[in-house]
Amino acid sequence: MPLTSSLFSGLLHKLFRSALVLALLLLSATSISARTVKISSATLLDKLKGGWAGQTIGCTYGGPVEFRYNGRYIPDSVALHWDDGSIKSYFDRNPGLYDDVYMDLTFVEIMDRLGLDAPVDSLAQAFARAPYPLWHANQAARFNILNGIRPPQSGHWLNNPHADCIDFQIEADFAGLMSPAMPNSAAQICDRVGHIMNYGDGWYGGVYVAAMYSLAYVESDISQVVTKALDILPRESTYYQCIRDVINWYKAYPQDWHKVWQLCQDKYSHDMGCPECVYRAIDIDAPLNGAYVVIGLLYGQGDFDKTVDISTRCGQDADCNPATAAGILGTLIGYSHIPERWMRPLRIVEDRPFAYTGLSLLKTYQLSLKQAQEMIRRAGGRIKGDKVTLKYQTPRPVRLERSFEGLKLDRMTGFAKPRSLEQDVSFTFDGCGIAVKGDVKGPKDYVALVQVWLDDKLIDTLRRPASFHDRAYDLYWNYQIPNGRHTIRFHLANPQPKTVVAAQRAIYYLPADK
């Protein structure tokens, strides 16, 4: 049918309107993706320093009560000590407290020496061979790396029973601090580093923390930092759901953090993997401890004192959680706005290297600033004189990962005293997986050879070093056993005088659909 002039005019009008709408959508998308934020070089440095300073302060404040309050919060009636000698005392007498910091510094040092694209194997070998003590996912990953299991397999739950533990959550600060306003860039760093020691929710803890640090550079409201950073995680993950619940509960009970603590305890205090913590009050799972960080940030409402105190009083890993919360808030408010009562003890040690590293806080500020400046330029930002232009990134969800997928907890067998493998130790169970907590004691050069017999068939010979540095952390784990009734037996093939190899407890798993 031929077009009349009116029809033709109407068609042109519709086409024009559609083109205009499309153009506006494209313009809007461009303005969001290309959004820039301008700050001064002095502000950039002040915020970066605030992050490192806050982390150190928070770790120290919670140090005396680390894992002293498990499955319960610290009452207000319990005074938490702080004075001008608090940080120096730990530097002098217990420098191992600062695993939160010296683990970060390992990656800062390697990236300073080899560049921001340092090979993952170089990062992994540096921390695996470093002299400092490690625990849980970090130590399991160290053992894996020293025995030829490379990242990301070193952090995968099939090779690391602690994959969901807090470890990367407490050492991802550096990735956010070197990525101002760039949470997606921080997540890319976390992908490389975090899978050295963690997977699934354990990895998500670090990704989320790094995103909060990144956004703290450009947000003025801590609740916006907490909420916006959550978009970096897939909604199907337990970690996302846990933090989303905390945010919603905070809105429902804005004056009662104890109520929200209890709701978290009721819903998220059930560890799935860690052979040391499952079925116990102690909980080093990343989502629960991440919730305590967020409780401190939300109920602290931008007040440094309240933030540090509340995140500590939530208990469990009560040095790491305030370290994370204080580091994020320190980034938001800046070094120059951290109250003086916290800064006086810090300045005493600011020029002293952390144990096991060559880096003091003063040197860390400079190395971390150099890395942040390079990240800014890589992302298309600019640094000109005292003016810094940041390319703001809207958080995009990382991929979905689930540890212990297809499994559910069944039960536990524990011993009042560890069972020595001087005589064979066996467990009979129905299921498809088992994890056994054990210990090896003896001369540093002793390596126990433990035979594993499943249903009277030799399936493995384990090397379990007595060296605290090289230890495996757990005696045995296997999450891929055909479902059914099984007997697993451990036989020590090389007993020696003055050595003890023992089994402490066994955790059993069933298929999730059983």
Side-chain angles (χ1 to χ4, degrees):
M1 184 175 89
L3 289 174
T4 64
S5 60
S6 60
L7 285 173
F8 183 76
S9 175
L11 181 59
L12 283 178
H13 178 71
K14 289 181 180 179
L15 289 172
F16 175 79
R17 186 171 60 185
S18 298
L20 179 62
V21 170
L22 179 60
L24 288 172
L25 287 172
L26 290 173
L27 180 61
S28 175
T30 302
S31 64
I32 292 172
S33 61
R35 176 184 163 192
T36 59
V37 179
K38 295 184 178 181
I39 62 175
S40 68
S41 294
T43 298
L44 176 68
L45 178 58
D46 190 55
K47 286 176 170 289
L48 182 146
K49 290 171 61 177
W52 288 110
Q55 184 184 6
T56 307
I57 291 166
C59 183
T60 309
Y61 183 70
V65 290
E66 178 189 17
F67 290 117
R68 298 279 182 93
Y69 290 79
N70 304 322
R72 58 195 178 116
Y73 56 75
I74 304 174
D76 292 340
S77 59
V78 175
L80 299 180
H81 179 74
W82 184 261
D83 62 31
D84 287 357
S86 290
I87 300 180
K88 182 178 183 298
S89 177
Y90 272 107
F91 265 69
D92 291 343
R93 298 184 180 90
N94 187 15
L97 174 75
Y98 297 105
D99 55 339
D100 306 58
V101 184
Y102 58 64
M103 281 291 299
D104 279 76
L105 297 186
T106 297
F107 306 127
V108 170
E109 283 187 298
I110 294 298
M111 289 185 179
D112 178 65
R113 182 160 55 87
L114 302 180
L116 299 187
D117 300 318
V120 173
D121 280 349
S122 297
L123 296 164
Q125 290 292 334
F127 112 90
R129 299 184 183 281
Y132 43 64
L134 294 174
W135 294 268
H136 291 271
N138 282 331
Q139 181 59 33
R142 168 183 273 172
F143 174 81
N144 285 339
I145 293 162
L146 293 178
N147 288 275
I149 300 176
R150 299 168 56 189
Q153 287 77 21
S154 54
H156 193 278
W157 62 274
L158 287 174
N159 303 313
N160 191 330
H162 304 268
D164 280 343
C165 288
I166 197 177
D167 302 60
F168 185 55
Q169 181 167 292
I170 72 172
E171 54 216 27
D173 316 69
F174 81 98
L177 285 168
M178 67 191 289
S179 307
M182 298 179 288
N184 301 321
S185 297
Q188 291 174 358
I189 298 169
C190 290
D191 194 5
R192 296 168 57 228
V193 179
H195 284 109
I196 294 173
M197 68 289 291
N198 283 99
Y199 186 84
D201 283 331
W203 178 54
Y204 291 147
V207 173
Y208 179 56
V209 163
M212 285 195 286
Y213 270 100
S214 179
L215 294 176
Y217 276 98
V218 292
E219 296 290 342
S220 58
D221 182 346
I222 194 63
S223 65
Q224 289 298 306
V225 171
V226 167
T227 303
K228 290 182 179 181
L230 191 56
D231 287 338
I232 203 78
L233 301 183
R235 298 191 174 199
E236 303 91 332
S237 66
T238 300
Y239 200 105
Y240 176 96
Q241 293 162 12
C242 177
I243 303 303
R244 178 204 59 199
D245 280 347
V246 172
I247 293 169
N248 290 336
W249 291 333
Y250 167 69
K251 293 175 181 176
Y253 309 101
Q255 305 301 322
D256 190 357
W257 73 261
H258 302 91
K259 173 71 173 180
V260 176
W261 182 96
Q262 188 61 56
L263 290 168
C264 289
Q265 177 71 13
D266 294 343
K267 188 171 181 179
Y268 292 106
S269 64
H270 310 294
D271 199 337
M272 175 75 174
C274 174
E276 186 172 345
C277 299
V278 171
Y279 294 120
R280 297 179 65 198
I282 187 172
D283 199 321
I284 201 165
D285 215 30
L288 183 66
N289 285 277
Y292 296 161
V293 171
V294 172
I295 289 173
L297 289 170
L298 291 177
Y299 284 92
Q301 297 178 325
D303 181 285
F304 195 87
D305 293 41
K306 288 171 60 179
T307 298
V308 174
D309 193 62
I310 292 171
S311 55
T312 301
R313 290 186 183 277
C314 284
Q316 296 291 0
D317 203 342
D319 65 326
C320 295
N321 298 331
T324 302
I328 293 164
L329 183 59
T331 306
L332 187 141
I333 65 175
Y335 178 92
S336 60
H337 290 91
I338 296 175
E340 183 61 20
R341 86 179 190 94
W342 302 102
M343 291 302 300
R344 281 195 305 272
L346 186 77
R347 293 193 188 97
I348 295 172
V349 302
E350 220 169 1
D351 62 346
R352 288 181 56 175
F354 286 92
Y356 315 110
T357 81
L359 294 183
S360 65
L361 278 169
L362 292 180
K363 191 169 183 180
T364 298
Y365 302 152
Q366 297 306 313
L367 291 187
S368 191
L369 176 64
K370 184 173 71 171
Q371 292 167 355
Q373 290 170 334
E374 184 175 347
M375 289 289 291
I376 290 167
R377 294 188 182 99
R378 284 189 177 196
R382 290 197 311 164
I383 302 171
K384 189 173 182 180
D386 190 44
K387 296 179 180 178
V388 180
T389 302
L390 305 173
K391 287 284 189 177
Y392 180 92
Q393 296 174 351
T394 300
R396 298 190 306 269
V398 296
R399 67 183 174 276
L400 179 64
E401 299 180 351
R402 296 187 192 278
S403 300
F404 310 105
E405 193 164 23
L407 301 177
K408 68 177 181 181
L409 284 170
D410 180 29
R411 61 187 180 90
M412 179 194 75
T413 296
F415 304 120
K417 293 183 179 180
R419 286 273 301 275
S420 172
L421 267 65
E422 287 183 355
Q423 296 183 344
D424 291 3
V425 173
S426 63
F427 303 93
T428 298
F429 64 99
D430 294 293
C432 60
I434 184 172
V436 180
K437 178 65 182 170
D439 198 12
V440 179
K441 295 181 180 178
K444 288 185 178 180
D445 60 349
Y446 175 64
V447 179
L449 300 178
V450 180
Q451 293 179 346
V452 183
W453 296 75
L454 181 66
D455 303 328
D456 294 324
K457 182 181 295 185
L458 179 64
I459 61 170
D460 205 351
T461 299
L462 312 173
R463 297 181 71 259
R464 294 295 182 256
S467 164
F468 185 84
H469 181 277
D470 297 347
R471 72 196 190 285
Y473 208 87
D474 302 294
L475 182 64
Y476 182 70
W477 60 93
N478 188 341
Y479 306 113
Q480 295 181 305
I481 300 172
N483 188 44
R485 188 166 186 80
H486 301 286
T487 297
I488 195 164
R489 177 166 58 90
F490 299 96
H491 172 75
L492 180 60
N494 62 335
Q496 291 187 14
K498 298 182 180 180
T499 64
V500 176
V501 183
Q504 298 166 339
R505 61 204 309 257
I507 313 296
Y508 309 109
Y509 296 85
L510 290 169
D513 57 356
K514 297 296 183 183

